[in-house]
């Protein structure tokens, strides 16, 4: 018998092919459906508003991250970090905080100061104005509200604590005048000596402490701010708390500025492509799917560099921002020296007492003191910073401290110079949340030091008179 022959090529069934555009359409529709389901689910679980504001980092970090706007009031394209704290270009200082913005973490008044109330240019007759200038430490980076004690975040800043302390001092003077130096000294020598041992009274009035600090500001920004933006408000005292940002600012910059602004202006094509690429990435990170994955599963934390620096570049290590060699360090220290000298001269010319303070930094606490604390948070931070950072920052702060001391001796009548680098070496409580930003205990201790410095200024004291014989 003959077997029939079947050609396998004729019997094979033709398989339908799937076109690439159908596959893409299927994937796109699936993602759209998944996105819709995720939004509905998050809404039902009560997470819609949290996810809407979530930017891949803890809420208190995002709230204090700068979001730079352009001259048209739109977000400056091409920058990686977009937080909630809006900053706008300024021809004098490079940038400043936008006025009239608020969140549960801070309130910025019409003038761009961290204050609950607007500050009129015309000063009331009985008002004593004290301005605090500085960077994110003075601004109060990382402060959160305390609902249990009915305190807003603004009320936990150094400025507010100092204002409250000064007003309390006035109440104490009025309530117990015998505990303070009398306005007229006794005639007899024994009575005069006893009276001079008492603390002097401070001038009466409404003490208002204005938080004019701006995250990222260096002494160059503060110099311009003092001369062009603060003086018109007729300050009675200006406090400057700084140092760290000056050590971190590279040689080619005279002051902190909007990141990449000059680079983008000189190369519009690069700015365009950077904007496009980041717009696509920001679209992806803005989806509910991505945010839910980050918020519930990955829970990413910002690097220590991004937590510490208001304007951080691509580096994940703080030591890379510090001077590489002695030449670079000397340039940054001299730049700081020249800016401080000009600030002191402006204060002297305007008859404004100036308090200049080198800010605290975590390596100012000795290893022994950190080890004694029950809470080892500060020890962990220092270990993460590394030995190279510790060596460089200690050298830098030593040099800045020497500059402050020299200027204090050169202008003893015009500026009171303080070095708070090691302020918290004897503080039992944890003072730092990162390299320079402070806990509530740290802010309280620093505000008390400023209170002592302010009340010691002769311009704010009632000078006791010796009676004529």
């Amino acid at each position: 018998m003959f077997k029939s022959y079947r050609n396998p090529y004729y019997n094979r069934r033709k398989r339908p092919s799937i076109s690439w555009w159908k596959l893409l359409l299927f994937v796109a529709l699936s993602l759209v459906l998944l996105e819709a389901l995720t939004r509905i689910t998050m809404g039902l679980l009560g997470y819609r508003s949290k996810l809407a504001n979530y930017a891949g980092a803890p809420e208190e970090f995002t709230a204090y991250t700068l979001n730079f706007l352009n001259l048209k009031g739109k977000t400056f394209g091409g920058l990686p970090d977009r937080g909630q704290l809006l900053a706008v270009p300024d021809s004098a200082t490079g940038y400043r905080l936008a006025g009239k913005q608020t969140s549960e973490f801070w309130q910025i008044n019409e003038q761009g100061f961290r204050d609950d109330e607007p500050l009129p240019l015309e000063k009331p007759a009985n008002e004593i104005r004290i301005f605090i200038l500085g960077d994110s430490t003075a601004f109060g980076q990382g402060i959160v509200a305390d609902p249990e004690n009915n305190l807003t975040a603004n009320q936990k800043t150094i400025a507010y604590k100092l204002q409250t302390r000064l007003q309390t001092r006035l109440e104490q003077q009025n309530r117990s005048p015998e505990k303070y130096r009398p306005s007229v000294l006794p005639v007899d020598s024994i009575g005069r000596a006893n009276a001079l041992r008492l603390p002097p009274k401070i001038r009466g009035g409404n003490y208002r402490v204005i938080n004019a600090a701006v995250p990222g500001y260096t002494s160059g920004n503060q110099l311009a701010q003092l001369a062009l933006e603060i003086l018109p408000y007729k300050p009675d005292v200006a406090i400057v708390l700084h140092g760290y940002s000056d050590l971190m600012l590279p040689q080619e910059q005279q002051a902190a500025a909007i990141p990449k602004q000059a680079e983008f202006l000189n190369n519009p094509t690069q700015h365009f492509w950077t904007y496009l690429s980041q717009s696509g990435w920001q679209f992806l990170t803005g989806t509910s799917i991505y945010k839910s994955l980050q918020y519930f599963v990955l829970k990413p934390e910002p690097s220590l560099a991004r937590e510490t620096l208001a304007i951080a570049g691509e580096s994940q290590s703080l030591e890379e921002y510090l001077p590489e060699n002695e030449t670079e360090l000397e340039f940054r220290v001299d730049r700081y020296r020249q800016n401080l000298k000009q600030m002191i001269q402006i204060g002297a010319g305007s008859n404004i007492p100036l308090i200049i303070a080198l800010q605290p930094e975590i390596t100012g606490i000795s290893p022994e003191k950190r080890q004694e604390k029950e809470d080892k948070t500060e020890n962990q931070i220092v270990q993460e910073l590394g030995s190279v950072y510790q060596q460089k920052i200690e050298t830098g702060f030593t040099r800045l401290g020497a500059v402050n001391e020299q200027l204090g001796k050169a202008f003893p009548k015009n500026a009171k110079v303080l070095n708070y680098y090691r302020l918290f070496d004897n503080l039992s409580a944890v003072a730092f949340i990162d390299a320079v930003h402070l806990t509530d205990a740290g802010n309280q201790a620093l505000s008390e030091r400023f209170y002592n410095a302010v009340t010691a200024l002769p311009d704010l004291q009632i000078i006791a008179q010796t009676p004529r014989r």
Side-chain angles (χ1 to χ4, degrees), residues 153-211:
N154 273 16
Q155 291 173 330
K156 297 176 68 179
T157 60
I158 295 170
Y160 192 90
K161 289 176 183 291
L162 175 57
Q163 177 177 292
T164 302
R165 188 72 174 86
L166 289 168
Q167 290 299 137
T168 301
R169 169 67 175 266
L170 286 183
E171 294 172 5
Q172 291 171 343
Q173 286 181 185
N174 295 331
R175 186 171 59 250
S176 305
E178 71 282 357
K179 295 181 180 179
Y180 295 87
R181 190 176 302 170
S183 301
V184 178
L185 295 174
V187 176
D188 63 290
S189 58
I190 296 177
R192 188 185 307 114
N194 291 334
L196 290 174
R197 292 192 186 98
L198 297 173
K201 293 178 181 176
I202 59 173
R203 287 163 43 193
N206 178 35
Y207 281 83
R208 182 162 184 185
V209 182
I210 300 99
N211 188 347

Side-chain angles (χ1 to χ4, degrees), residues 356-374:
I356 298 175
L358 185 61
Q359 70 190 91
E361 195 275 339
I362 196 167
T363 60
I365 304 176
S366 65
E368 296 77 19
K369 295 293 184 180
R370 291 198 308 267
Q371 197 63 38
E372 289 175 3
K373 297 183 181 182
E374 184 177 349

Side-chain angles (χ1 to χ4, degrees), residues 375-421:
D375 190 326
K376 303 302 181 185
T377 301
E378 291 167 333
N379 240 2
Q380 295 169 1
I381 294 172
V382 173
Q383 289 175 7
E384 185 176 346
L385 290 169
S387 58
V388 175
Y389 170 91
Q390 294 176 55
Q391 184 273 322
K392 284 187 175 183
I393 203 71
E394 288 177 11
T395 301
F397 265 80
T398 299
R399 300 282 282 277
L400 295 184
V403 168
N404 280 10
E405 187 176 355
Q406 292 167 3
L407 291 175
K409 291 179 179 178
F411 303 95
K413 296 182 179 179
N414 307 115
K416 186 176 184 65
V417 179
L418 306 167
N419 189 338
Y420 289 152
Y421 171 51

